[in-house]
Amino acid sequence: MAFIVKIIANSYGWRRAYLATALPGLALGFITYTTVREPPKELAKKEPSKRQRDKIKEQLLPAPLLNPLYITLVLAAAARCGGGRVYSYNINNYIQHYYPGYPTEHFLSWIPACMGIFSSAVGGIWADKMVVSSQGYLGRIGVLLIGVTIPIPAAILALCIPPPWCFISIQVGAFFHDLIGGIISTIIVEQAPVGRQTSAITLFVFAINMFGGNVTLLVPALRHVFNWQIAMIILWPGSFAISAVLFKWSLRLAAKRIAKTTTSFNGSCISL
């Protein structure tokens, strides 16, 4: 998108480039406001079947909005967001610094879009059909852990080899990075208290943008102390490593809540 905006800016000026990027958002916002309707909320009155009881046993125990699992997931997502922002805001200038004049637009103009669309679909199918059916909520977090761990060596390799070979590594990292974008929002909603899902998502989006979104501001400081390559390694794959550790810890927290649910479960009192 940035390369398209650059073409508009060079042809018509930056003011019209900003307007061009804002118009699709205004149009989609109007369409969403006029067409999307929230379904009515209803309470379950029927006694659940045995299959439903077995599924309820694997659900998370209710907890307050700001519970340890939620906070850990938000911090993990913020670290992942920080690494992604460092990549997207700096990779073009990084390559131009070490390889002046290289046509990065031949690769960076299509890799994010193509990998994002394809990997998001794969991630949703993987989490819903292949993992959740057998492993439940923990399966979703397991997919997140895989999706944030594999890009770590891919990012390091991309920063250590010249183009065009570095773009192959970037494609691998971009695939797994975008694989888990929608899954994070899903697990945030699933663990939130009933009726507080919107608040959970609102705080989640605020946190990842405020904390994760500002990680890229550390690049100039670390670049001054070390060099651009070391700064990128610390803040790009380094942020992913922190995210992986936090997602691993969230697995333990979620397992404890599920274990408590199974222990305290009884067939005579079920909350849906």
Side-chain angles (χ1 to χ4, degrees):
M1 185 65 183
F3 296 104
I4 299 176
V5 173
K6 183 178 179 180
I7 294 174
I8 298 175
N10 291 336
S11 302
Y12 303 101
W14 278 107
R15 180 171 297 180
R16 294 190 178 182
Y18 279 113
L19 291 175
T21 55
L23 289 177
L26 293 174
L28 290 174
F30 176 77
I31 293 173
T32 302
Y33 179 78
T34 56
T35 59
V36 176
R37 295 290 182 268
E38 184 175 357
K41 299 179 180 180
E42 298 180 357
L43 295 175
K45 298 179 180 179
K46 294 182 179 180
E47 191 70 15
S49 63
K50 182 180 182 302
R51 183 178 180 182
Q52 289 175 321
R53 289 194 186 97
D54 293 337
K55 187 175 181 181
I56 291 172
K57 290 182 182 180
E58 298 178 355
Q59 290 180 347
L60 295 171
L61 188 70
L65 176 62
L66 299 178
N67 61 81
L69 175 59
Y70 174 74
I71 294 174
T72 304
L73 289 173
V74 169
L75 292 176
R80 170 189 172 273
C81 175
R85 296 286 178 88
V86 170
Y87 156 75
S88 60
Y89 289 168
N90 293 276
I91 190 63
N92 180 63
N93 293 333
Y94 172 87
I95 295 175
Q96 291 297 328
H97 174 76
Y98 287 103
Y99 309 97
Y102 193 86
T104 55
E105 65 274 9
H106 293 171
F107 300 91
L108 297 179
S109 58
W110 62 268
I111 288 177
C114 295
M115 288 295 103
I117 295 172
F118 179 64
S119 62
S120 297
V122 172
I125 295 172
W126 185 11
D128 288 340
K129 303 296 183 182
M130 300 176 64
V131 178
V132 175
S133 59
S134 59
Q135 300 183 31
Y137 189 83
L138 297 180
R140 290 193 193 276
I141 301 180
V143 175
L144 294 180
L145 189 57
I146 295 173
V148 80
T149 301
I150 293 180
I152 296 174
I156 296 174
L157 183 61
L159 294 170
C160 296
I161 59 178
W165 311 112
C166 65
F167 293 108
I168 298 176
S169 186
I170 287 176
Q171 287 185 58
V172 175
F175 175 82
F176 285 95
H177 178 268
D178 296 333
L179 183 82
I180 61 178
I183 305 174
I184 296 178
S185 300
T186 301
I187 65 171
I188 289 293
V189 171
E190 287 182 340
Q191 65 79 45
V194 176
R196 304 296 299 277
Q197 291 91 341
T198 302
S199 300
I201 283 292
T202 301
L203 293 175
F204 163 73
V205 174
F206 172 79
I208 64 174
N209 282 284
M210 288 301 297
F211 299 107
N214 289 320
V215 172
T216 189
L217 298 178
L218 299 175
V219 172
L222 290 178
R223 181 185 173 187
H224 179 73
V225 175
F226 303 104
N227 57 48
W228 206 334
Q229 184 183 50
I230 298 300
M232 290 286 286
I233 290 176
I234 293 173
L235 296 177
W236 180 13
S239 296
F240 288 167
I242 295 173
S243 179
V245 171
L246 291 171
F247 277 132
K248 180 65 175 178
W249 180 250
S250 68
L251 270 173
R252 296 190 60 183
L253 296 176
K256 289 182 179 180
R257 279 179 62 177
I258 292 175
K260 290 181 180 179
T261 305
T262 304
T263 303
S264 61
F265 173 83
N266 63 81
S268 60
C269 182
I270 301 173
S271 176
L272 294 179

